[in-house]
Amino acid sequence: MGMDYARMRVIAEQLWAYVEQLEGAWSVEIGPSGLVLAMTCRPLRRESTRRLVREQLDQQVAVTHPGYICATGPEIEHPAIGRMRLPDAVVIPEAVLDEEGLATT
């Protein structure tokens, strides 16, 4: 039987502290199979697509959901289902980016 989510979350925080000292871009996620630590290498075309999607969503969200933005960086955590992921883009309240911690729920 796998580790419980609380234990994986503690290890994820330890891994983030470790990878912050490394060169390159790293990702720490909790998926269906458990912890995932990966060096991320995104092709330029993917980065361009992410930027375009974010710009389009930011324009729409400013009108439909004031106070929200499209972000490409925060970890999104869902403890009830035992997941923590780093999505390519997510619409969230802008204030969330000022919170302390590794991830937002």
Side-chain angles (χ1 to χ4, degrees):
M1 180 164 275
M3 279 189 269
D4 66 22
Y5 184 77
R7 177 82 175 120
M8 284 191 286
R9 183 66 168 77
V10 169
I11 294 171
E13 287 185 27
Q14 294 168 346
L15 285 171
W16 264 118
Y18 174 72
V19 300
E20 286 177 348
Q21 301 169 29
L22 301 177
E23 291 183 28
W26 291 86
S27 170
V28 177
E29 296 184 357
I30 300 173
S33 301
L35 283 163
V36 176
L37 171 64
M39 185 173 194
T40 57
C41 178
R42 296 184 172 126
L44 294 176
R45 184 171 183 96
R46 181 174 175 188
E47 290 300 323
S48 176
T49 302
R50 285 177 48 181
R51 180 184 54 80
L52 290 172
V53 167
R54 192 182 80 208
E55 288 173 358
Q56 290 176 9
L57 284 171
D58 273 339
Q59 289 175 5
Q60 294 174 27
V61 168
V63 174
T64 61
H65 293 81
Y68 281 67
I69 62 166
C70 180
T72 56
E75 294 272 355
I76 305 299
E77 182 173 29
H78 196 312
I81 63 170
R83 301 287 187 277
M84 184 174 70
R85 303 302 298 246
L86 180 62
D88 285 335
V90 62
V91 174
I92 57 173
E94 188 170 12
V96 165
L97 298 177
D98 293 328
E99 294 176 0
E100 293 290 326
L102 173 64
T104 186
T105 55

